C-alpha cells in the first residue's frame, strides 16, 4: 500500500514519537509499505511521521546513487528505535530536500559523523558509525522522529526566501507529483 505523504504544516510532523517492539501490528507489512511509498515518490529516505505514524522508525535506500558512487550499493536499511549517541565535531553543509516539504531544497549544516544505535527489521541491535552523506541522510530522517524538519535548520534569511512556498503547504494550496496529505 502506498500512503499519502504528510506535508509541512501537519501536526504529526511535530509530535514526539514512541519506541515500538516486535509485537507492533503488521510490522513487516508497514516496513514494505514505507519503502513502496518512498519509491513511489522517488525519495531516498522516509520516516514514520511522514505517513502519519508517531513511532520511531525510518527507512533509507541509497541504491539510486550507486551508479555514481559504489559506496551506496545495496545500502537499503530499516532503523527502528534509533538513538544517535555521538555527533562528530566537524560540520559540513550540503543541499537537502524532503518529501514532506516538496519543491524546497536548501543547504543544511550537520555533523559529518555520527554513532547510532538501532534495531533492524529483525529486531537485531546494531551500534554503527556513519560519515558524510550516509550520516546526513540518517540525521535528516532522525530529525523527523524528533519533530523536526530540515527547514528548521536553514538560516532565517533562507527561510524567509521560502516563506510563500511553506505557507502554501500549510494552507494545502500545493500540487505535487505524488499523493500528499496537508493540514487543510
Ligand atoms: Ni524528510
Amino acid at each position: 500500500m502506498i500512503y499519502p505523504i504528510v506535508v509541512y504544516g501537519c501536526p504529526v510532523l511535530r509530535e514526539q514519537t514512541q519506541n515500538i517492539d516486535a509485537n507492533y501490528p503488521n510490522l513487516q507489512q508497514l516496513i514494505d509499505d514505507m519503502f513502496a511509498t518512498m519509491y513511489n515518490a522517488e525519495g531516498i529516505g522516509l520516516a514514520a511521521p511522514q505517513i502519519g505514524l508517531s513511532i520511531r522508525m525510518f527507512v533509507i535506500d541509497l541504491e539510486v546513487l550507486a551508479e555514481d558512487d559504489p559506496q551506496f550499493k545495496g545500502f537499503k536499511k530499516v532503523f527502528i528505535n534509533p538513538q544517535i549517541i555521538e555527533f562528530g565535531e566537524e560540520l559540513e553543509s550540503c543541499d537537502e530536500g524532503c518529501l514532506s516539504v516538496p519543491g524546497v531544497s536548501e543547504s543544511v549544516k550537520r555533523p559529518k559523523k555520527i554513532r547510532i544505535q538501532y534495531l533492524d527489521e529483525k529486531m537485531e541491535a546494531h551500534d554503527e558509525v556513519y560519515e558524510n552523506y550516509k550520516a546526513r541522510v540518517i540525521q535528516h530522517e532522525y530529525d523527523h522522529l524528533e519533530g523536526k524538519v530540515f527547514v528548521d535548520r536553514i538560516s532565517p534569511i533562507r527561510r524567509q526566501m521560502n516563506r510563500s512556498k511553506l505557507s502554501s503547504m500549510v494552507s494545502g494550496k500545493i500540487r505535487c507529483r505524488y499523493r500528499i496529505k496537508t493540514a487543510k
Side-chain angles (χ1 to χ4, degrees):
M1 167 187 171
I2 290 168
Y3 285 85
I5 292 179
V6 169
V7 161
Y8 184 87
C10 289
V12 69
L13 293 178
R14 300 305 189 178
E15 278 168 21
Q16 273 304 307
T17 52
Q18 304 295 319
N19 280 338
I20 61 169
D21 61 30
N23 297 321
Y24 191 84
N26 302 319
L27 181 58
Q28 189 55 55
Q29 184 64 52
L30 176 60
I31 291 168
D32 293 346
D33 289 348
M34 283 182 68
F35 277 114
T37 300
M38 182 184 86
Y39 296 139
N40 178 64
E42 295 175 21
I44 55 172
L46 187 75
Q50 295 182 274
I51 57 162
L53 297 175
S54 293
I55 59 172
R56 295 187 68 79
M57 175 161 78
F58 58 82
V59 300
I60 291 175
D61 190 346
L62 302 180
E63 181 69 35
V64 290
L65 307 173
E67 205 172 300
D68 294 326
D69 190 336
Q71 67 160 312
F72 300 122
K73 187 102 196 92
F75 192 87
K76 177 180 178 179
K77 289 169 88 69
V78 180
F79 294 79
I80 295 169
N81 303 344
Q83 284 296 332
I84 297 181
I85 56 167
E86 283 173 43
F87 291 93
E89 280 180 22
E90 200 182 337
L91 304 177
E92 188 175 50
S93 289
C94 185
D95 278 355
E96 293 187 20
C98 179
L99 295 176
S100 292
V101 193
V104 175
S105 172
E106 288 292 338
S107 179
V108 181
K109 200 183 272 184
R110 295 188 187 273
K112 256 182 105 162
K113 191 171 174 180
I114 54 155
R115 182 175 161 203
I116 186 169
Q117 295 177 337
Y118 65 97
L119 305 174
D120 64 20
E121 65 278 17
K122 294 177 190 129
M123 288 293 179
E124 280 167 16
H126 299 266
D127 183 332
E128 291 163 356
V129 172
Y130 288 102
E131 289 182 85
N132 305 315
Y133 196 69
K134 288 177 185 171
R136 174 167 299 272
V137 178
I138 290 168
Q139 287 176 81
H140 175 114
E141 299 312 326
Y142 189 86
D143 269 356
H144 281 297
L145 308 186
E146 305 289 306
K148 292 197 188 85
V149 289
F150 82 101
V151 286
D152 302 342
R153 296 187 180 276
I154 67 179
S155 67
I157 180 102
R158 294 307 306 170
R159 194 153 344 102
Q160 182 64 19
M161 300 288 285
N162 284 290
R163 196 170 54 104
S164 69
K165 276 188 193 171
L166 293 173
S167 61
S168 62
M169 287 175 212
V170 174
S171 58
K173 291 181 188 128
I174 56 156
R175 282 165 193 273
C176 194
R177 66 180 193 278
Y178 44 87
R179 196 152 68 97
I180 54 173
K181 192 175 166 198
T182 56
K184 284 179 190 158

